[in-house]
């Protein structure tokens, strides 16, 4: 819901039933492995997310597209934020 500022490490790890989630504009950080092995299909990450842990989308075999409102990867995002994730990443400048 609105007002949530962070998603903790492993918060939705293994949640295969989770196919969609709406991230609020109040969100500023997503912890390590937060969505690992989840059932996500597509995802929109608001520009307010300035911190992203490693392997957030590791082993998300259903995830085909991640749309990011930021124009490029923010410096606070771990370099392995989408390790082992084949989803296409679209940045705001490409919308």
């Amino acid at each position: 819901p609105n007002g949530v500022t962070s998603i903790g490490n492993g918060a939705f790890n293994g949640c295969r039933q989770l196919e969609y989630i709406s991230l609020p504009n109040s969100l500023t950080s997503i912890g390590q492995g937060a969505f690992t092995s989840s059932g996500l299909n597509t995802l929109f990450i608001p520009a307010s997310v300035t911190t992203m842990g490693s392997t957030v989308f590791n082993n998300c075999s259903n995830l085909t597209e991640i749309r990011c409102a930021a124009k490029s990867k923010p410096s606070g995002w771990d370099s392995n934020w989408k390790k082992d994730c084949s989803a296409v990443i679209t940045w705001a400048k490409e919308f």
Side-chain angles (χ1 to χ4, degrees), residues 1-2 7 18 20-25 27 40 42-44 46:
N2 276 334
I7 296 175
L18 179 66
Y20 175 78
I21 189 168
S22 178
L23 302 177
N25 288 329
L27 190 68
L40 285 174
T42 60
L43 183 69
F44 178 79

Side-chain angles (χ1 to χ4, degrees), residues 29-92:
S29 69
I30 299 176
Q32 179 177 334
F35 296 102
T36 294
S37 299
S38 71
L40 285 174
N41 293 312
T42 60
L43 183 69
F44 178 79
I45 300 174
S48 58
V49 176
T50 56
T51 306
M52 180 85 74
S54 67
T55 64
V56 171
F57 303 105
N58 191 35
N59 203 26
C60 290
S61 56
N62 296 336
L63 188 57
T64 58
E65 181 182 20
I66 300 172
R67 296 186 73 160
C68 302
K71 292 184 180 183
S72 62
K73 183 176 80 81
S75 61
W77 289 22
D78 188 276
S79 60
N80 290 316
W81 70 281
K82 63 171 196 79
K83 183 178 180 185
D84 296 328
C85 175
S86 61
V88 173
I89 310 302
T90 306
W91 299 99

